[in-house]
Amino acid sequence: MPVYEVVRETNRFYDVATQLRDSATVVGSGKRRILGNRRGYESRVLVADSFPRQTCDAAVEALKSHLDGLKPATAMYVPDGDLAAFSRLGMDASPALINARAQLRCTGGSFDDYLSTVSRNRRAQVRKERREFVKADHEMGRERLSACYEEAAPLLGNLQREYGHPTTDDGARSLLAGQARYLDDLSCVHTVRKSGRLVGFALTFSFADWIWVRAVGFDRAGLADAFEYFNLSFYEPLEVCYERRYKGLQLGMESLRAKKLRGATIEPLWMVPHGWSCGSEEQLSQRNAQVAAELTAPLQDAGLSGLDRYLVSAVDVRGTSSELVQAEEERGTPREDDLW
């Protein structure tokens, strides 16, 4: 498990005090120690389900002995299915709900099978969005990140600044260059060009039989208002999933309502403290309920059927995360959605 001693955090999504919405709760630099990923918005205990249980237990015990000396610390963006694993590491304080992510599991063997899973109205809308995209006569492509990151960086910077992030073009270029250096063989950039000039892209990575949609960028002036965002970041990667027989798409935390309307399910992401508390049981329960209400409010007219196990019920977690281990053992074999 990677561990970071954070001196200065520039990403507010990884700032513990900001995510708790109460800087008074987080005192001192010790709680700025991050367990798990510091980027990417997902932290898991990395033991394979294919390993013998005895091997996994031994690995977790060895890791636990190291983590005991790292208190206080925090794991951020822990998926629902991994809370019990973190509790086995001795992280027994109650988790705080901080966000949610969307995923779309492939159904059947083709894009038409995907369409059969959404409502008739949504099916018609998706077909319209696909038609308009094709009619725009874009120069479409699938490229490696190393071949286009220089062109993509200003487009990523544009979009980030539109959403209030202080991203510079140089910063975006540095980020993409690093990913191109280490992850190029996993990358696929869905691109649209106008007379050879890049005007839109969606960066994806293939890993563990999923496609992870990681970044998008646009030159608004070069677009045709032809639903480029969802064609590049949703429909085109989904086509690749069906071609390669992958499990589906991991779609991240943004635009949850639009993704839910297109058939995605929503899963909560948690902050798990280690050696400190996010607040009293009552404070945490109220805070989790507030965050869940904010996350689900835009989803009401998108249908809540896919949230029954997720955000609406997740706020009922009021005890320590050790109680989640007991609940997991009572539930038995985890659902396929819980597995890596």
Side-chain angles (χ1 to χ4, degrees):
M1 176 178 287
V3 180
Y4 295 91
E5 190 78 48
V6 181
V7 177
R8 182 174 63 91
E9 181 54 74
T10 58
N11 183 345
R12 61 186 175 86
F13 289 101
Y14 272 89
D15 183 78
V16 174
T18 299
Q19 292 307 308
L20 275 180
R21 309 181 185 191
D22 180 12
S23 58
T25 304
V26 185
V27 180
S29 61
K31 298 180 183 63
R32 298 170 73 89
R33 187 177 293 124
I34 299 298
L35 305 176
N37 289 337
R38 188 171 155 260
R39 291 293 183 268
Y41 308 107
E42 179 171 341
S43 291
R44 310 190 73 164
V45 178
L46 301 181
V47 289
D49 297 294
S50 59
F51 287 177
R53 181 60 181 264
Q54 185 177 2
T55 303
C56 291
D57 288 346
V60 169
E61 282 302 312
L63 179 58
K64 180 179 178 181
S65 67
H66 288 285
L67 296 185
D68 284 343
L70 294 176
K71 298 177 182 179
T74 310
M76 302 187 72
Y77 301 99
V78 176
D80 205 40
D82 283 68
L83 283 176
F86 274 86
S87 183
R88 289 192 179 95
L89 295 175
M91 302 176 69
D92 289 330
S94 297
L97 180 64
I98 55 175
N99 215 311
R101 65 176 183 179
Q103 70 173 25
L104 180 72
R105 183 174 289 275
C106 286
T107 299
S110 70
F111 195 88
D112 285 339
D113 291 324
Y114 153 68
L115 287 175
S116 69
T117 67
V118 299
S119 69
R120 180 183 300 178
N121 288 343
R122 179 52 50 184
R123 199 177 309 145
Q125 179 63 29
V126 171
R127 285 173 173 152
K128 174 186 176 182
E129 292 172 359
R130 296 293 275 162
R131 284 196 307 271
E132 292 295 319
F133 186 64
V134 172
K135 283 168 55 180
D137 199 27
H138 287 302
E139 301 163 20
M140 297 168 52
R142 296 177 185 175
E143 307 178 29
R144 287 293 192 199
L145 181 56
S146 59
C148 61
Y149 77 87
E150 289 277 3
E151 297 173 275
L155 277 61
L156 174 60
N158 286 343
L159 192 67
Q160 291 290 303
R161 289 188 290 272
E162 281 184 24
Y163 284 91
H165 303 296
T167 304
T168 65
D169 291 353
D170 285 342
R173 186 174 295 105
S174 176
L175 174 70
L176 296 179
Q179 293 179 4
R181 179 180 180 185
Y182 294 106
L183 302 171
D184 199 45
D185 60 331
L186 305 179
S187 71
C188 177
V189 185
H190 296 272
T191 60
V192 290
R193 295 179 178 274
K194 184 175 181 180
S195 300
R197 181 173 61 88
L198 187 68
V199 295
F201 80 92
L203 168 61
T204 70
F205 294 103
S206 299
F207 181 73
D209 293 329
W210 289 89
I211 287 181
W212 305 74
V213 181
R214 289 297 300 130
V216 297
F218 298 100
D219 174 1
R220 300 287 188 189
L223 300 181
D225 196 22
F227 303 100
E228 287 91 351
Y229 177 85
F230 274 101
N231 274 280
L232 287 175
S233 67
F234 200 102
Y235 305 137
E236 289 296 315
L238 185 57
E239 293 274 19
V240 175
C241 281
Y242 280 114
E243 291 172 13
R244 300 180 183 177
R245 298 294 187 262
Y246 286 167
K247 293 178 181 177
L249 300 177
Q250 295 287 347
L251 295 161
M253 302 187 303
E254 304 295 334
S255 307
L256 292 179
R257 178 182 179 276
K259 293 168 183 173
K260 177 67 178 172
L261 285 169
R262 288 163 176 80
T265 57
I266 311 299
E267 180 181 20
L269 296 169
W270 302 87
M271 173 192 295
V272 184
H274 185 47
W276 65 284
S277 172
C278 294
S280 69
E281 179 180 323
E282 181 178 1
Q283 289 172 327
L284 190 57
S285 176
Q286 292 175 351
R287 184 201 165 281
N288 284 351
Q290 178 186 350
V291 175
E294 293 172 0
L295 289 169
T296 56
L299 302 171
Q300 297 297 326
D301 63 347
L304 286 172
S305 59
L307 296 177
D308 54 339
R309 186 176 175 273
Y310 293 133
L311 297 179
V312 174
S313 60
V315 299
D316 291 333
V317 177
R318 291 186 170 86
T320 66
S321 55
S322 60
E323 292 174 311
L324 293 164
V325 175
Q326 180 180 352
E328 181 192 68
E329 291 170 346
E330 290 173 354
R331 188 171 75 235
T333 304
R335 302 174 311 120
E336 185 180 6
D337 283 352
D338 289 338
L339 303 180
W340 181 253

